[in-house]
Amino acid sequence: MTKPNPFKGFQSSPEIIRLAVMLYIRFPLSLRNVEDLLHERGVEISHETVRSWWRRFGPMFASEIRKRRIEGLRSSRWRWHLDEMFVKINGERHYLWRAVDHEGEVLESFVTKTRDKRAALKFLKKTMKRHGRPHVFVTDKLRSYGAALKEIGAADRQETGRWLNNRAENSHLPFRRRERAMLRFRHMRSLQKFASVHSSVYNHFNQERHLYSRQNFKLNRSAALIEWRQLCSG
């Protein structure tokens, strides 16, 4: 059975739509920045069009990226780094829980209003449902993690330490830069949506260039871009 074309009915080509969505999600650019960059390339669209495109196609692209990575067994169950970061929505503090594997790939992003045992447990169950159960959970000393891991029978797999969770702490930085460009979030639902899409796009283009020679990095970067241009192509 042939999949319906998701780009049907749009005047702009799929290539332009993919480019606009990639620019907005991957880089710390505003909607108007993306509009100006596309204008320099001879593409005349408004920033509101960019907004509607990322809302419509961003989750679709992210879903396909996650599906391809899981099918390719590119999700590690060896060591997960768990951490939560503060995010303000209309001046009110919320918490963005994030799970990162030992290679820096973001496995899950989950928004809650609290960071108690109940929130930690919900986050853990959601992550393990999609990615399985790891051998080691690396966390900070927030007691909510210990209580939640004890309830799921994984208390003996928890590791805490001053520098052990740097992998998760460093993974927050790209999202923080993106958050500042967006001038914060206004709704919990929009934060959850963007965090999920951003993590998938970040994983797709994150080549960890310090681990490769320049030649291999260029090959991997080109392969990631080619794969992006084929998303939702049927």
Side-chain angles (χ1 to χ4, degrees), residues 40-103:
E40 292 177 7
R41 290 160 173 78
V43 180
E44 291 294 342
I45 59 170
S46 72
H47 66 279
E48 289 297 339
T49 300
V50 178
R51 188 200 306 274
S52 68
W53 282 352
W54 96 256
R55 286 180 173 176
R56 180 183 179 99
F57 292 100
M60 196 182 304
F61 295 158
S63 177
E64 187 163 339
I65 290 172
R66 284 194 298 268
K67 182 179 178 182
R68 292 185 181 191
R69 295 182 88 82
I70 292 174
E71 287 178 350
L73 299 178
R74 291 155 76 179
S75 178
S76 172
R77 296 184 186 177
W78 174 47
R79 179 184 294 265
W80 290 359
H81 297 259
L82 311 179
D83 196 29
E84 73 288 343
M85 57 190 289
F86 304 116
V87 183
K88 285 191 174 182
I89 302 176
N90 288 330
E92 183 180 351
R93 178 177 287 183
H94 288 68
Y95 303 92
L96 178 61
W97 304 74
R98 302 173 78 248
V100 181
D101 72 7
H102 68 282
E103 294 183 334

Side-chain angles (χ1 to χ4, degrees), residues 19-229:
L19 175 61
V21 173
M22 182 193 71
L23 289 174
Y24 181 65
I25 297 174
R26 184 183 176 191
F27 302 107
L29 301 170
S30 69
L31 294 167
R32 287 176 173 80
N33 289 153
V34 176
E35 178 185 344
D36 290 342
L37 286 172
L38 292 175
H39 169 73
E40 292 177 7
R41 290 160 173 78
V43 180
E44 291 294 342
I45 59 170
S46 72
H47 66 279
E48 289 297 339
T49 300
V50 178
R51 188 200 306 274
S52 68
W53 282 352
W54 96 256
R55 286 180 173 176
R56 180 183 179 99
F57 292 100
M60 196 182 304
F61 295 158
S63 177
E64 187 163 339
I65 290 172
R66 284 194 298 268
K67 182 179 178 182
R68 292 185 181 191
R69 295 182 88 82
I70 292 174
E71 287 178 350
L73 299 178
R74 291 155 76 179
S75 178
S76 172
R77 296 184 186 177
W78 174 47
R79 179 184 294 265
W80 290 359
H81 297 259
L82 311 179
D83 196 29
E84 73 288 343
M85 57 190 289
F86 304 116
V87 183
K88 285 191 174 182
I89 302 176
N90 288 330
E92 183 180 351
R93 178 177 287 183
H94 288 68
Y95 303 92
L96 178 61
W97 304 74
R98 302 173 78 248
V100 181
D101 72 7
H102 68 282
E103 294 183 334
E105 181 163 324
V106 183
L107 302 175
E108 197 68 50
S109 298
F110 186 60
V111 184
T112 63
K113 291 184 178 180
T114 62
R115 58 171 180 167
D116 53 12
K117 171 188 171 183
R118 182 180 179 183
L121 189 60
K122 194 172 182 180
F123 165 61
L124 286 170
K125 286 182 176 178
K126 180 180 180 182
T127 307
M128 289 190 296
K129 183 178 180 181
R130 177 174 288 173
H131 301 280
R133 178 178 296 214
H135 299 293
V136 178
F137 296 88
V138 181
T139 72
D140 55 25
K141 295 184 179 181
L142 179 68
R143 287 184 290 181
S144 300
Y145 288 118
L149 289 170
K150 183 177 180 181
E151 182 159 330
I152 64 175
D156 59 324
R157 301 188 181 190
Q158 183 182 17
E159 291 185 5
T160 60
R162 187 175 182 184
W163 310 114
L164 288 179
N165 217 19
N166 281 356
R167 174 67 76 179
E169 295 286 350
N170 292 335
S171 76
H172 295 331
L173 299 179
F175 186 84
R176 283 296 190 202
R177 289 192 289 267
R178 197 65 201 79
E179 179 191 20
R180 287 193 292 271
M182 295 180 71
L183 303 177
R184 311 295 180 180
F185 297 91
R186 294 178 176 82
H187 303 285
M188 187 171 172
R189 184 177 179 182
S190 63
L191 170 57
Q192 178 65 71
K193 181 178 181 178
F194 187 83
S196 297
V197 174
H198 180 270
S199 64
S200 292
V201 175
Y202 172 79
N203 290 339
H204 183 76
F205 288 103
N206 179 26
Q207 303 299 325
E208 299 219 341
R209 63 178 69 194
H210 62 286
L211 299 177
Y212 301 98
S213 66
R214 177 65 181 174
Q215 186 63 30
N216 285 338
F217 166 71
K218 289 166 65 176
L219 292 173
N220 292 336
R221 181 174 60 182
S222 297
L225 192 57
I226 291 171
E227 190 174 348
W228 174 268
R229 289 169 176 166

